[in-house]
């Protein structure tokens, strides 16, 4: 009985620990960087809205660094990490593929192609929103192509979805490379940002896009958790329980595409978050999608907050793209999976 109680309480304890970790990393991410800030001053600035006058004596430059530069960046990192992690968990369930993540389905390559087309061909005709808008449109176009390819076939199985996604990813990857080599070579630095990801576009006016991206993924996972739990037992079992598997798979994919498009439009291609986090979350709280979605969201946020902290400090004052940090961690993670499960 006591063992059952401990197992029942475990998801709540894991989520509480995850939330504490996210808050600690967020505070650390605001205080640390190319210009380290005193923790006490950072806390005084952050808590000033609750206690007016608490930030008296804190200089205007520190205010600006905390509120205008690092706080939006930390929020975007948390949104991007949590959204990508939950999208990965949902796609792994609906495709029954342990290696599924948002980037296996061409969404990131589509976004990168859209952004690079602006950099090399069309220019910033819509002002500062041109790049995010083009990346968003590219990701949605990629999702539409994948879903269109699957819809023209009789079956919509997870394997067919993965194959269509891989084909679309390679197609848009080729388009991106063509644009880079055929366009202005001086745009290489900007192209690199969209290829490996970064959080340098974080600003208060575009944060609603990131919040919406994470919100769509989390709401999808929690809202469809019962049907997704049924799908864990297999398509036939889920159908016998009244789940329309084809409709569920299509709805999850489209909502995941929408979420990923919003996140990639701001942060570029940040790989392996959606692949790694769900595996660790399942080991901690099991496979049921209620606790899995909550745990994945918190762990994804923690992973990207930690990765961004490393990216800003390891070569300070130079900033390393956060996608390089997650790619290194993801490569080691996949190697560990192979070593632990040689028959997989």
């Amino acid at each position: 009985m006591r063992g059952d109680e401990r197992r029942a309480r475990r998801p709540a304890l894991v989520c509480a620990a995850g939330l504490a970790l996210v808050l600690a990393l967020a505070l650390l991410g605001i205080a640390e960087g190319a210009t380290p800030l005193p923790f006490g001053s950072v806390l005084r600035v952050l808590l000033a809205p609750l206690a007016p006058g608490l930030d008296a004596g804190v200089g205007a430059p520190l205010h600006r660094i905390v509120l205008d530069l690092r706080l939006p960046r930390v929020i975007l990192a948390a949104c991007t990490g949590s959204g990508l992690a939950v999208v990965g968990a949902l796609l792994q369930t609906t495709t029954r593929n342990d290696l599924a993540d948002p980037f296996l389905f061409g969404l990131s390559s589509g976004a990168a192609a859209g952004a690079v087309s602006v950099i090399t061909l069309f220019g910033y005709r819509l002002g500062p929103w041109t790049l995010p808008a083009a990346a968003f449109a590219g990701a949605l176009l990629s999702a539409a192509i994948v879903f269109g390819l699957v819809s023209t076939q009789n079956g919509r199985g997870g394997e067919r979805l993965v194959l269509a996604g891989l084909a679309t990813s390679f197609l848009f990857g080729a388009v991106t490379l063509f644009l880079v080599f055929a366009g202005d070579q001086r745009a290489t630095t900007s192209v690199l940002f969209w290829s490996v990801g970064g959080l340098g576009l974080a600003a208060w006016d575009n944060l609603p896009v990131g919040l919406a991206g994470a919100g769509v993924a989390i709401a999808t996972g929690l809202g469809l958790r019962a049907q997704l739990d049924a799908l864990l037992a297999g398509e036939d079992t889920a159908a016998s329980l009244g789940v329309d598997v084809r409709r569920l798979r299509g709805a999850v994919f489209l909502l995941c595409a929408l979420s990923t498009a919003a996140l990639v439009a701001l942060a570029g291609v940040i790989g392996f978050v959606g692949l790694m986090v769900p595996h660790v979350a399942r080991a901690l709280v099991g496979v049921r999608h209620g606790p899995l979605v909550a745990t994945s969201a918190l762990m994804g946020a923690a992973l990207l907050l930690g990765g961004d902290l490393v990216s800003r400090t390891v070569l300070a004052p130079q900033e390393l793209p956060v996608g390089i940090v997650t790619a290194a961690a993801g490569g080691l993670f996949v190697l560990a999976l192979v070593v632990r499960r040689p028959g997989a």
Side-chain angles (χ1 to χ4, degrees), residues 2-309:
R2 296 180 62 183
D4 293 339
E5 289 179 353
R6 281 197 295 270
R7 281 192 291 273
R9 293 174 54 189
R10 184 168 184 174
L13 294 175
V14 170
C15 287
L19 181 60
L21 180 62
V22 167
L23 293 176
L25 287 171
L27 182 59
L28 195 61
I30 295 173
E32 296 296 331
T35 304
L37 306 175
F39 274 100
S41 297
V42 170
L43 284 174
R44 288 165 65 189
V45 172
L46 294 176
L47 296 177
L50 302 177
L54 187 64
D55 57 343
V58 177
L62 193 147
H63 264 94
R64 183 175 182 277
I65 293 175
V66 171
L67 297 180
D68 295 339
L69 299 179
R70 293 188 183 173
L71 184 57
R73 185 182 181 111
V74 161
I75 295 174
L76 180 59
C79 290
T80 304
S82 60
L84 293 178
V86 173
V87 167
L90 300 181
L91 291 177
Q92 286 172 14
T93 296
T94 52
T95 63
R96 302 181 68 80
N97 187 324
D98 288 347
L99 296 180
D101 79 347
F103 306 100
L104 188 64
F105 297 95
L107 302 177
S108 59
S109 58
V116 172
S117 69
V118 167
I119 297 169
T120 58
L121 291 180
F122 303 115
Y124 296 76
R125 299 182 179 181
L126 301 178
W129 281 96
T130 306
L131 268 180
F136 188 78
L140 287 185
L141 177 61
S142 175
I145 292 175
V146 173
F147 198 69
L149 286 172
V150 176
S151 299
T152 58
Q153 306 299 317
N154 292 328
R156 295 183 180 179
E159 293 181 0
R160 193 179 299 276
L161 196 59
V162 172
L163 289 174
L166 275 175
T168 306
S169 181
F170 281 117
L171 175 64
F172 276 101
V175 170
T176 300
L177 290 175
F178 174 79
L179 290 173
V180 170
F181 280 96
D184 187 349
Q185 296 297 309
R186 292 172 296 180
T188 302
T189 302
S190 297
V191 171
L192 182 64
F193 169 84
W194 290 98
S195 300
V196 296
L199 299 165
L201 294 181
W204 286 111
D205 60 352
N206 60 29
L207 275 184
V209 177
L211 289 167
V216 167
I218 294 171
T220 300
L222 295 178
L224 298 175
R225 62 186 183 280
Q227 297 179 60
L228 292 167
D229 286 345
L231 190 57
L232 291 172
E235 294 187 13
D236 292 339
T237 302
S240 70
L241 295 173
V243 176
D244 187 333
V245 176
R246 295 174 61 184
R247 178 175 296 181
L248 173 66
R249 183 169 284 138
V252 168
F253 179 73
L254 286 178
L255 290 168
C256 286
L258 186 63
S259 172
T260 304
L263 298 171
V264 173
L266 293 183
V269 179
I270 300 177
F272 287 103
V273 176
L275 190 156
M276 286 188 291
V277 173
H279 288 276
V280 180
R282 287 190 193 94
L284 292 174
V285 299
V287 298
R288 296 179 68 86
H289 285 79
L292 177 63
V293 168
T295 304
S296 295
L298 289 168
M299 293 187 62
L303 175 63
L304 209 52
L305 284 168
D308 184 49
L309 188 60

